[in-house]
């Protein structure tokens, strides 16, 4: 019996224009009628979730910042947070300071970006829709990185945007040398850094334990490298047709693409069977 549905946002539940398709919206309504909970499981913060999910009765919890945060959607109360030590954040920043990259801090439900690095977003090989979204969820700050880091609360995630493969390799090699950190990606030009114990699969398992639900009774949908652990942890891990090769490799099933409402199409017969059995 399906009890929880974990869904990545970009490239999975949202189409290429960052919208919730009618079929996916219908899946939310069907889940609510059956008492099944949808759990956004995303690299975003809670504040970056679409209104359609934040306000829907079947969405009570969210796994955010790639598993570093588990929160109650109503009121945004944090249930679990796994942070990165600030001394380590500062050391990493100083070692990559001269590279033409961003070094974004996820803290206080906000993404902070240096003004001097913000314009790099314009040069990324991303769609205009994605670049507009990236800009919209970032708070630009002036002054030094050291001062900004001292002002914020716990840092739960770092994000690096890069243009050159050599910069990607340099950052990844640096992270690989730190056993307490891990890196993944959700876009062809970013690196997402969290504590080694913080990933979507860990967030899924923690919430299941918190709610007394077996991961075997969960379905998870994703498309990116940062979704692999979530698909592996769920009883049914479903990759989108537009998923990266690594995620397709670990999936139990493959559904239609995000632009073809793959989540809604996959769930429709499952929800219909549950309704018929009642």
């Amino acid at each position: 019996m399906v009890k929880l549905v974990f869904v990545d946002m970009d490239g999975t539940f949202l189409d290429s224009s960052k919208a919730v398709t009618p079929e996916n919206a219908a899946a939310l309504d069907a889940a609510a009628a059956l008492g099944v909970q949808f759990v956004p499981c995303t690299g975003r913060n809670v504040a970056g979730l679409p209104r359609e999910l934040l306000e829907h009765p079947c969405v009570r919890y969210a796994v955010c910042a790639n598993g570093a945060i588990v929160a109650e959607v109503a009121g945004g109360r944090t249930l679990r947070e796994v942070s990165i030590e600030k001394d380590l954040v500062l050391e990493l920043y100083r070692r990559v300071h001269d590279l033409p990259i961003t070094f974004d801090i996820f803290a206080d439900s906000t993404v902070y970006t240096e003004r001097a690095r913000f314009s790099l977003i314009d040069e990324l090989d991303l769609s205009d829709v994605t670049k507009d979204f990236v800009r919209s969820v970032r708070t630009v700050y002036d002054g030094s990185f050291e001062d900004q880091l001292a002002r914020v609360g716990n840092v739960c995630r770092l994000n690096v945007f890069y243009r050159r493969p050599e910069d990607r390799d340099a950052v990844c090699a640096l992270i690989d040398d730190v056993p307490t950190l891990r890196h993944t990606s959700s876009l062809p030009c970013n690196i997402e850094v969290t504590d080694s114990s913080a990933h979507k699969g860990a967030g899924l398992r923690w919430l299941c334990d918190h709610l007394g639900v077996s991961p075997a009774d969960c379905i998870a949908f994703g498309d990116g490298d940062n979704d692999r652990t979530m698909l592996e942890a769920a009883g049914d891990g479903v990759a989108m047709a537009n998923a990266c090769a690594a995620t397709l490799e670990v999936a139990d099933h493959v559904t239609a693409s995000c632009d073809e409402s793959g989540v809604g199409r996959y769930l429709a017969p499952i929800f219909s069977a549950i309704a018929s059995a009642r």
Side-chain angles (χ1 to χ4, degrees):
M1 178 64 71
V2 179
K3 295 182 179 179
L4 297 175
V5 176
F6 289 80
V7 285
D8 172 53
M9 290 291 100
D10 304 284
T12 299
F13 195 72
L14 305 180
D15 66 16
S16 297
S17 66
K18 306 294 182 186
V20 177
T21 67
E23 284 183 83
N24 286 350
L28 293 175
D29 294 339
L34 295 169
V36 175
Q37 293 187 47
F38 258 74
V39 182
C41 197
T42 175
R44 301 184 182 199
N45 289 315
V46 172
L49 294 176
R51 176 182 54 80
E52 293 94 327
L53 286 123
L54 289 173
E55 298 178 355
H56 203 281
C58 78
V59 179
R60 295 178 56 193
Y61 303 95
V63 176
C64 296
N66 282 346
I69 297 286
V70 181
E72 287 183 338
V73 169
R77 184 168 73 98
T78 298
L79 302 177
R80 176 182 188 255
E81 181 174 9
V82 181
S83 59
I84 305 172
E85 291 293 333
K86 284 190 175 182
D87 288 346
L88 179 53
V89 172
L90 184 56
E91 178 186 349
L92 293 174
Y93 175 81
R94 287 173 172 169
R95 293 182 66 178
V96 301
H97 174 268
D98 294 332
L99 297 179
I101 61 174
T102 69
F103 196 88
D104 308 324
I105 308 170
F106 282 60
D108 308 328
S109 300
T110 304
V111 186
Y112 296 100
T113 303
E114 287 179 281
R115 186 173 300 280
R117 298 176 187 268
F118 186 68
S119 61
L120 179 78
I121 297 169
D122 299 336
E123 305 171 37
L124 299 175
D125 185 19
L126 298 171
S127 69
D128 289 340
V129 170
T130 299
K131 285 192 278 192
D132 286 344
F133 172 75
V134 168
R135 295 187 195 96
S136 73
V137 297
R138 274 158 174 74
T139 296
V140 179
Y141 66 87
D142 298 299
S144 73
F145 179 86
E146 289 83 354
D147 287 346
Q148 185 63 25
L149 184 62
R151 290 191 192 101
V152 303
N154 292 335
V155 176
C156 62
R157 182 190 144 188
L158 305 172
N159 183 82
V160 170
F161 281 117
Y162 61 86
R163 291 172 297 168
R164 307 181 309 186
E166 56 265 36
D167 296 328
R168 174 201 62 209
D169 294 345
V171 173
C172 288
L174 178 60
I175 302 304
D176 287 339
D177 282 341
V178 183
T180 59
L181 297 179
R182 71 189 312 273
H183 64 82
T184 184
S185 178
S186 61
L187 293 168
C189 55
N190 87 322
I191 303 165
E192 303 170 0
V193 183
T194 57
D195 182 87
S196 58
S197 66
H199 50 81
K200 290 188 179 185
L204 181 153
R205 287 192 291 268
W206 188 92
L207 183 59
C208 284
D209 184 65
H210 179 72
L211 298 176
V213 174
S214 170
D217 293 328
C218 300
I219 302 177
F221 295 88
D223 73 299
D225 182 71
N226 64 337
D227 296 316
R228 288 190 302 135
T229 58
M230 175 177 66
L231 268 59
E232 290 173 322
D236 187 10
V238 184
M240 312 303 291
N242 52 280
C244 68
T247 300
L248 288 166
E249 187 175 293
V250 302
D252 298 304
H253 297 98
V254 177
T255 187
S257 73
C258 64
D259 289 323
E260 298 170 310
S261 304
V263 172
R265 290 190 183 188
Y266 189 88
L267 290 174
I270 294 173
F271 285 170
S272 178
I274 294 173
S276 298
R278 292 187 171 180

